[in-house]
Amino acid sequence: MPVIRDRVIKGDSKLAIDYIVDAHEAYKHYLNRWLFLGDSYNGGYEYFLGRYLEPYYYESRDDYEKRLRQIALDNHVKAVVGIYNSFLFRRDIKRDFGSIDGIPSLAPFLADADLDGRSFQSFIREMSSLSMVYGNVWVVVDKPAVQSLTRADELQQEIRPYVSMFTPDNVLDWGYSRKANGLYELTYLKVKEEIVEGKQYIREYTPEEINVYMINNKDKVGELFSTMPNELGRVPAVCVYAQRSQVRGVGISPMGDIADIQKELYEFGSEIEQIIRLTNHPSLVKTADTEATAGAGSIIQMPQNMDAGLKPYLLQPDGASIEAVLMAIEKKVDSIDRMASLGGIRSIESRRLSGIGLQTEFQMLNARLADFAMNLEHAEEQIWRLWCLYQGYVWDGEIEYPRTFSIQDKANDIAMLKMAKEANIGDARINQEIDKRIYETITEEYLEDMDEMEEPYEMQSEETHTPVEIGPDMIAHLREMISQGATDDEILQMHPELRGMLNANS
């Protein structure tokens, strides 16, 4: 029986909340980082609430809040994640469902994977995005605990497995145990679920049972809400990594460094806004007994016996400093593109990179995307294994994500292929390969079977007629070819035997 359940049942309800929300040491260590990464991806109001703008010395709270309202976030994290996903899911994922292909519950699951109207493909795309942001996410496969006599009753009541996704900041605790064969198996998971009417629900998974705890945020007490046996005999969850770390259950975010630079750009944006405001609206320095109002054409009243050295004056910063900030912003954006291997894709202006430089950058990006694809492929197969266990099947299908992505400079590649085409190379197979590359570059579709393309070239380049002999049939055939507009050279090319006849007569 789980330790938390024992303590909750036997202990005081006011102390039970401490047992329920007790978290993994890694959770306590990485929580603030996960919250920052999530806000960096979401941007907007979430980033505003995060208060990631550093306050000035002696800055009042009202002035700090005003600065926060006046600056917007240029969200590079979301842009980079979007570009990565556009390449990962540009080509269809090959899914061979094996023995479960065609079973009645498969199609509804693919159309509505999470019982909230989201298709399985959309769920996988979001799983990919969030795993890149946080480094890993958790996917739980569950099935409603409704008693049904037959499989037909389940289909009628739409009782089937579904998936739920939890970001690391919502997974309080987890545990792995090593089996005799050396395999690590997930044996414990505790996640935070939704808050309903001021009550927080915590779900705990063990191989034996699944417990739900309720925390009343108003009274600060916790209690056991429900418990049910775990029919699978294992924790039905998968940890989806973007990049693994040395801590099991914690991933390394590929967007971490980009989020840090994005925060610097957020600071620079605030600096530019402040420089512009102070340049256009300078500060007025005056004594306490001098009366002045703000606005165009305002009047300043000074005491008649004021010392000339105490006259009011304007304090205005040098606007030239804004150029230095803009140059720093440009350098920071270039570093983001370099870290993400997206310099040739996100660049607004033409990059000063050689053909080899661009090709190397594209190869690095392709390798990074291939790593993401392999992790997603492995995670999806684990999800399908759990789904099959709930349905009484054994997963024997196969999931295949693309390993190569058509990342290239199309304009440059087409120009080079066009030059090769205009070289008029006599070899038909070389010309055929050039046409194939041009087609693949323009359409991003790969021609796997070359034999289908060879036939037209053979028919065009090797078009011949049946050999003819001297006689009425030959004369009629030659007249027909001449009437169709064939020249002497074309006739001789189609009937090379005529050359021998002409030479014999001469």
Side-chain angles (χ1 to χ4, degrees):
M1 182 176 290
V3 177
I4 294 181
R5 184 183 174 189
D6 289 342
R7 292 180 179 178
V8 170
I9 293 175
K10 297 177 182 179
D12 184 4
S13 62
K14 293 185 178 180
L15 297 177
I17 189 173
D18 296 330
Y19 306 139
I20 295 173
V21 300
D22 188 27
H24 197 283
E25 290 299 322
Y27 177 87
K28 301 174 185 177
H29 181 75
Y30 289 104
L31 177 59
N32 291 333
R33 182 63 175 175
W34 287 332
L35 294 175
F36 168 69
L37 292 173
D39 292 341
S40 298
Y41 175 73
N42 294 323
Y45 192 59
E46 301 295 330
Y47 207 81
F48 170 80
L49 293 178
R51 302 294 194 270
Y52 296 111
L53 201 62
E54 293 293 332
Y56 296 140
Y57 288 111
Y58 306 112
E59 184 179 26
S60 66
R61 183 178 181 83
D62 291 339
D63 290 340
Y64 178 72
E65 293 287 339
K66 183 179 179 181
R67 278 206 302 137
L68 283 173
R69 293 192 299 269
Q70 290 171 344
I71 185 63
L73 176 68
D74 188 4
N75 200 327
H76 292 270
V77 173
K78 182 173 288 186
V80 172
V81 170
I83 292 174
Y84 283 170
N85 262 359
S86 68
F87 283 115
L88 284 171
F89 297 96
R90 178 174 296 182
R91 298 167 60 187
D92 292 337
I93 300 169
K94 297 180 181 179
R95 294 186 174 97
D96 179 11
F97 295 108
S99 58
I100 66 171
D101 191 11
I103 65 174
S105 56
L106 179 61
F109 174 74
L110 294 175
D112 184 7
D114 60 352
L115 299 182
D116 196 25
R118 182 166 49 176
S119 67
F120 184 72
Q121 182 70 6
S122 300
F123 181 87
I124 292 296
R125 286 182 67 98
E126 185 172 354
M127 182 182 77
S128 172
S129 299
L130 295 180
S131 65
M132 292 180 193
V133 174
Y134 293 96
N136 72 290
V137 293
W138 296 82
V139 176
V140 176
V141 184
D142 207 346
K143 188 177 181 180
V146 179
Q147 295 294 332
S148 56
L149 298 177
T150 63
R151 185 61 57 89
D153 295 337
E154 288 188 354
L155 294 175
Q156 185 177 3
Q157 301 177 37
E158 296 185 354
I159 300 173
R160 56 176 175 80
Y162 64 94
V163 289
S164 302
M165 184 162 35
F166 296 91
T167 54
D169 54 316
N170 289 313
V171 180
L172 292 172
D173 200 0
W174 61 93
Y176 287 86
S177 62
R178 193 167 188 176
K179 302 172 68 174
N181 60 359
L183 177 67
Y184 281 93
E185 182 181 10
L186 183 66
T187 56
Y188 184 79
L189 188 70
K190 183 169 64 175
V191 299
K192 292 192 297 183
E193 294 187 334
E194 70 276 4
I195 299 177
V196 180
E197 297 180 353
K199 297 177 181 179
Q200 172 77 65
Y201 291 90
I202 306 293
R203 187 175 292 266
E204 178 189 42
Y205 294 89
T206 68
E208 294 80 19
E209 56 190 15
I210 301 174
N211 302 312
V212 180
Y213 304 93
M214 183 182 65
I215 298 176
N216 192 323
N217 294 329
K218 181 179 179 180
D219 300 331
K220 301 300 180 183
V221 295
E223 61 182 5
L224 179 66
F225 181 75
S226 66
T227 183
M228 65 191 77
N230 188 346
E231 62 180 71
L232 289 186
R234 56 180 295 184
V235 177
V238 178
C239 185
V240 184
Y241 293 98
Q243 183 178 348
R244 292 179 179 268
S245 70
Q246 296 181 351
V247 180
R248 194 172 298 275
V250 177
I252 299 176
S253 171
M255 300 295 114
D257 295 332
I258 296 176
D260 292 333
I261 296 182
Q262 179 177 283
K263 181 176 179 295
E264 294 184 44
L265 294 174
Y266 190 60
E267 295 280 354
F268 289 158
S270 178
E271 291 296 325
I272 291 177
E273 194 273 339
Q274 292 298 307
I275 292 174
I276 293 175
R277 285 183 176 273
L278 291 176
T279 301
N280 295 336
H281 304 282
S283 300
L284 178 64
V285 181
K286 68 181 186 65
T287 58
D289 54 352
T290 301
E291 297 181 3
T293 58
S298 59
I299 299 175
I300 300 176
Q301 295 181 354
M302 299 180 296
Q304 295 182 355
N305 56 350
M306 174 177 284
D307 186 359
L310 297 178
K311 290 182 179 180
Y313 63 92
L314 295 176
L315 186 63
Q316 187 174 20
D318 184 9
S321 58
I322 196 172
E323 295 295 333
V325 179
L326 290 174
M327 289 181 62
I329 290 177
E330 184 178 352
K331 295 296 183 183
K332 294 295 183 180
V333 173
D334 289 342
S335 66
I336 290 178
D337 295 341
R338 184 174 59 255
M339 287 188 297
S341 299
L342 295 176
I345 297 175
R346 283 187 8 126
S347 177
I348 299 176
E349 300 177 354
S350 179
R351 291 288 304 273
R352 295 181 180 178
L353 289 178
S354 63
I356 298 297
L358 281 174
Q359 184 179 4
T360 302
E361 188 176 65
F362 290 153
Q363 289 175 351
M364 292 173 60
L365 177 57
N366 189 85
R368 178 173 295 188
L369 293 174
D371 290 339
F372 292 150
M374 285 188 290
N375 288 331
L376 291 174
E377 180 181 297
H378 176 67
E380 185 173 334
E381 287 187 347
Q382 290 180 301
I383 292 172
W384 283 113
R385 286 191 181 95
L386 293 173
W387 192 90
C388 288
L389 287 177
Y390 275 112
Q391 296 297 91
Y393 291 89
V394 176
W395 170 252
D396 57 358
E398 185 177 357
I399 306 298
E400 183 178 350
Y401 278 68
R403 289 293 188 273
T404 58
F405 307 89
S406 54
I407 305 169
Q408 56 196 40
D409 187 349
K410 287 188 177 181
N412 183 56
D413 290 350
I414 292 175
M416 294 182 63
L417 291 170
K418 183 179 179 182
M419 291 174 59
K421 183 73 173 178
E422 293 173 351
N424 294 324
I425 302 174
D427 193 333
R429 293 189 62 84
I430 295 178
N431 291 328
Q432 175 184 348
E433 183 67 21
I434 294 174
D435 291 340
K436 172 177 174 289
R437 295 289 182 87
I438 293 175
Y439 175 83
E440 291 178 349
T441 303
I442 295 175
T443 63
E444 297 184 0
E445 296 179 0
Y446 292 92
L447 300 177
E448 301 289 343
D449 191 0
M450 286 293 299
D451 296 335
E452 297 179 359
M453 295 188 61
E454 290 177 1
E455 295 180 0
Y457 281 93
E458 292 177 356
M459 293 175 59
Q460 294 174 10
S461 60
E462 300 180 6
E463 183 178 1
T464 59
H465 287 241
T466 305
V468 295
E469 297 180 355
I470 297 176
D473 294 338
M474 183 190 75
I475 296 174
H477 180 60
L478 293 177
R479 286 177 178 175
E480 181 183 358
M481 295 178 66
I482 293 172
S483 65
Q484 293 177 357
T487 62
D488 295 343
D489 294 336
E490 291 175 346
I491 293 174
L492 291 174
Q493 184 178 0
M494 297 176 189
H495 292 284
E497 70 275 7
L498 294 178
R499 295 182 183 273
M501 297 179 186
L502 294 174
N503 294 332
N505 293 333
S506 60

